[in-house]
């Protein structure tokens, strides 16, 4: 069953701790994305990757880091430098990074930092 | 990045009424995609529009791309409670970044 998975669904952390969110896809897609969603803000792009071992900053990359060591995996680390980390995080993938391809989204991880 | 205006932010309707959300850009677009996110869920792709003046239909949903390729609309005829959710447009400017920019979304609330 092809798809994109994110884990965990809910994550709680203390302020000052780094946390890594998982994203895995078995769709054989080249491109992967991380978005942050806050109420009323829509989807804001954090990082994207067009191909293995390559990634680019999106609109709100500060305080986040990513890696793309495998085609299937694109983990996101929320560092302690991120001032307002509490949010809903969505991972997506597409056949290619060109905007003509539809994006497939994972179920999301809701991160709460206190 | 690309500026996207999506209106309205919220829309309450009685079941059976029609609904329309608009997505506007100040620059000419290469293409536009529409997604739907149910409450508590994740965005799901609905459709893509590429050609000037294009109109596509999916059952009660009608999608339009403006003649100047600077705006788009999604119209739902006779809303049902299953239409509840947030509708996002994602657009890509001609000659701009190939990564699409998402609008803030329109949240549709349908009252039975």
């Amino acid at each position: 069953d092809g798809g994109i998975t994110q884990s965990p669904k809910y994550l709680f952390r203390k302020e000052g701790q780094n946390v890594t969110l998982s994203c895995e896809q078995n769709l054989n897609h080249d491109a992967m994305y991380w978005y942050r969603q806050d109420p009323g803000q829509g989807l804001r792009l954090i990082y994207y990757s067009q191909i293995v071992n390559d990634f680019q900053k999106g609109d709100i990359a500060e305080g986040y880091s990513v890696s793309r060591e495998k085609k299937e995996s694109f983990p996101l680390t929320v560092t302690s430098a991120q001032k307002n980390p509490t949010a809903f995080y969505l991972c997506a993938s597409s056949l290619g990074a060109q905007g003509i391809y539809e994006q497939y989204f994972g179920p999301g991880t809701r991160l709460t930092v206190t | 990045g690309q500026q996207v205006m999506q209106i309205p932010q919220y829309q309450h309707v009685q079941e059976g009424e029609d609904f329309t959300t608009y997505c506007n850009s100040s620059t000419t677009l290469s293409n536009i995609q529409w997604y739907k996110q149910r409450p508590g869920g994740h965005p799901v792709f609905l459709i893509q529009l590429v050609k000037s003046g294009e109109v596509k239909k999916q059952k009660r949903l009608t999608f339009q791309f403006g003649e100047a390729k600077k705006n788009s609309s999604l119209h739902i005829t006779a809303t049902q409670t299953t239409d509840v959710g947030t509708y996002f447009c994602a657009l890509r400017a001609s000659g701009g970044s190939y990564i699409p920019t998402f609008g803030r979304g329109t949240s549709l609330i349908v009252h039975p």
Side-chain angles (χ1 to χ4, degrees), chain B residues 2 18-19 26 34 42 52 55 67-68 78 95 99-101 106:
Chain B
Q2 170 74 27
D18 292 356
F19 159 78
S26 56
W34 285 93
H42 57 274
S52 166
V55 178
E67 292 289 342
I99 303 296
T101 300
T106 295

Side-chain angles (χ1 to χ4, degrees), chain B residues 23-56:
Chain B
C23 189
N24 299 307
S25 167
S26 56
T27 59
T28 303
L29 303 172
S30 176
N31 62 295
I32 189 163
Q33 298 173 341
W34 285 93
Y35 292 79
K36 176 184 178 181
Q37 183 177 22
R38 293 182 186 274
H42 57 274
V44 174
F45 175 80
L46 293 175
I47 210 156
Q48 175 166 262
L49 304 171
V50 179
K51 298 177 186 173
S52 166
E54 189 169 16
V55 178
K56 287 188 177 180

Side-chain angles (χ1 to χ4, degrees), chain B residues 69-85:
Chain B
K69 296 185 76 174
K70 288 187 175 182
N71 55 69
S72 179
S73 65
L74 158 57
H75 179 82
I76 303 179
T77 304
T79 54
Q80 299 174 0
T81 54
T82 53
D83 296 323
V84 165

